[in-house]
Amino acid sequence: MPHDQNGQVILAFRLIDAAKTAQLGHNRALQESLTSARNAALAKNDFLSRMSHDMRTPMNAVLGFTDMARRSLNDPEKCASAWTRWPPLPSSFCT
């Protein structure tokens, strides 16, 4: 066992134990922060993918019906039938 210059036994295990306990607590806090950040990133990505889909679907419908009406401008009946599926624009848009 180590002795100091006066021949007394040196006990350092408490300091090492306290330092190790502090380090483990710090590591645990870092791990919790990392887990929290990863969960937040997953939630953000999930929200954006759903929001993107929810916005993209109606936009595709508008673009599709607009394209159908545009391609049939010379046939007012066909053009008007495209807008019966999408009511925001009146069938008079085709005449």
Side-chain angles (χ1 to χ4, degrees):
M1 246 184 220
H3 294 73
D4 68 4
Q5 52 191 327
N6 297 329
Q8 296 184 346
V9 175
I10 299 173
L11 296 176
F13 68 89
R14 286 189 181 171
L15 293 177
I16 293 171
D17 184 52
K20 187 65 174 175
T21 301
Q23 182 183 17
L24 290 173
H26 180 70
N27 287 348
R28 189 175 307 118
L30 287 174
Q31 187 63 40
E32 289 172 3
S33 293
L34 178 61
T35 300
S36 178
R38 284 182 177 161
N39 288 340
L42 288 173
K44 180 190 82 166
N45 289 339
D46 184 55
F47 170 78
L48 290 176
S49 70
R50 289 176 192 272
M51 180 56 70
S52 177
H53 178 267
D54 289 346
M55 291 173 64
R56 201 171 46 243
T57 301
M59 286 303 297
N60 284 337
V62 169
L63 293 173
F65 291 134
T66 302
D67 187 53
M68 285 172 51
R70 183 189 55 79
R71 284 185 282 133
S72 56
L73 284 175
N74 294 333
D75 184 352
E77 188 176 314
K78 223 177 189 185
C79 180
S81 76
W83 295 116
T84 61
R85 295 182 187 102
W86 188 258
L89 288 177
S91 59
S92 62
F93 171 78
C94 300
T95 56

